[in-house]
Amino acid sequence: MTDRLFVLVDYDNLGDFRKAKTLDAVVRHIESRIPNQFMDGISRVEVRLYGGWTTGRSLTRQAQVLGAEIQANFPATTQRLDPTGKLVTRILTVAFARSGLFLPSEDLADTFMSGRSVRNVQVNQSGWRTCASPQRCQLAPIESFLRDGQCDFGSCGVTTRDLLRRNEQKQVDTLLVADMAELALRQGTKKVAVVSSDADMWPGVLLCLTAGASVCQIHTSPGGITKPVLMSNLSRLGAAYNQTSV
């Protein structure tokens, strides 16, 4: 065996699966879910974690914690039986995707933005149908607050931008797809594994397949599958596409 397999992990998309688990346990489980036939000829599994790792050019708290786990536990080895019953040992590495495989010397800055204003929030009118007392519901003012973007009580100047905030990742999905393109188009990689259920990376899957690479997608919820409407894009490429789930 001489080849390496890149496993591109949309870390936040793992959601509930990664809760209360060590990074070592998460990574080893992901590796175990890649089908044996896809691992044929692979001697090294390189896991790249995609996420909002930097504020400015400083590591976020989450990145610091995970970084300590990476340093303590990797590189490591993993073992499993191949289809012939032979025990195969492979090298397992983990790294942050802080830069693109296409430009590894340039780390991306500001991939995590905290306290971003929430925009375009709408109220689903059908949600009121189960309300016990629509006329006296204390949630009713929320509808006008979201619709108008500000409080309608007297001269109150509070706006939705003042109150509604969320954390946001930037550049992460596009970096993952860009790395898929780099692997398939410029490095000539024949196999790529992607850990995500986010439809935003689906064009990257199609690109890899049209470039002649096989793709293994690992969905981030147990029993997850690719939506049939997306699968309809595969046509003749379906034989090179594998999917499983955590």
Side-chain angles (χ1 to χ4, degrees):
M1 296 184 296
T2 57
D3 289 341
R4 60 182 178 172
L5 174 68
F6 278 100
V7 182
L8 314 183
V9 180
D10 184 351
Y11 189 73
D12 272 7
N13 197 243
L14 286 169
D16 290 341
F17 169 74
R18 62 180 172 83
K19 290 182 178 178
K21 296 183 180 70
T22 64
L23 181 62
D24 181 71
V26 169
V27 168
R28 289 184 180 278
H29 181 81
I30 287 172
E31 188 276 335
S32 74
R33 298 300 296 151
I34 302 173
N36 260 333
Q37 63 270 24
F38 203 84
M39 297 291 284
D40 185 39
I42 300 299
S43 61
R44 186 179 181 91
V45 179
E46 300 194 12
V47 177
R48 282 173 59 83
L49 305 178
Y50 293 77
W53 306 131
T54 55
T55 298
R57 293 197 173 276
S58 299
L59 287 179
T60 63
R61 175 60 181 163
Q62 182 187 42
Q64 293 176 42
V65 172
L66 291 176
E69 288 193 63
I70 291 172
Q71 187 172 12
N73 296 295
F74 301 97
T77 58
T78 182
Q79 293 183 319
R80 69 160 85 175
L81 297 176
D82 70 9
T84 68
K86 178 184 176 182
L87 186 65
V88 179
T89 300
R90 297 181 174 91
I91 301 298
L92 179 64
T93 67
V94 180
F96 290 129
R98 292 182 56 186
S99 60
L101 291 170
F102 50 89
L103 194 62
S105 62
E106 296 292 336
D107 285 353
L108 297 176
D110 266 343
T111 57
F112 179 79
M113 311 287 285
S114 64
R116 303 274 287 181
S117 62
V118 177
R119 301 180 296 276
N120 301 321
V121 178
Q122 299 178 347
V123 174
N124 181 7
Q125 293 296 329
S126 65
W128 297 114
R129 284 183 293 196
T130 57
C131 183
S133 180
Q135 301 303 319
R136 293 182 297 171
C137 182
Q138 295 183 10
L139 292 176
I142 294 177
E143 180 174 2
S144 60
F145 181 62
L146 293 176
R147 182 189 66 237
D148 301 332
Q150 63 183 43
C151 178
D152 60 4
F153 181 78
S155 60
C156 181
V158 174
T159 70
T160 53
R161 290 178 178 269
D162 296 323
L163 291 185
L164 303 180
R165 299 283 172 176
R166 68 188 180 98
N167 296 331
E168 186 177 2
Q169 293 184 353
K170 306 298 290 184
Q171 309 178 75
V172 174
D173 291 340
T174 48
L175 177 61
L176 193 154
V177 172
D179 277 352
M180 294 174 75
E182 165 69 15
L183 289 170
L185 296 179
R186 297 215 303 184
Q187 297 191 20
T189 298
K190 295 304 180 184
K191 295 178 182 178
V192 179
V194 181
V195 183
S196 179
S197 292
D198 192 337
D200 285 344
M201 61 88 215
W202 186 246
V205 171
L206 297 177
L207 183 147
C208 286
L209 294 172
T210 57
S214 295
V215 176
C216 176
Q217 179 178 355
I218 302 174
H219 290 278
T220 53
S221 58
I225 60 172
T226 301
K227 292 181 178 179
V229 68
L230 298 180
M231 292 290 290
S232 66
N233 296 139
L234 293 180
S235 60
R236 61 183 176 80
L237 301 171
Y241 174 73
N242 301 264
Q243 62 172 315
T244 184
S245 69
V246 296

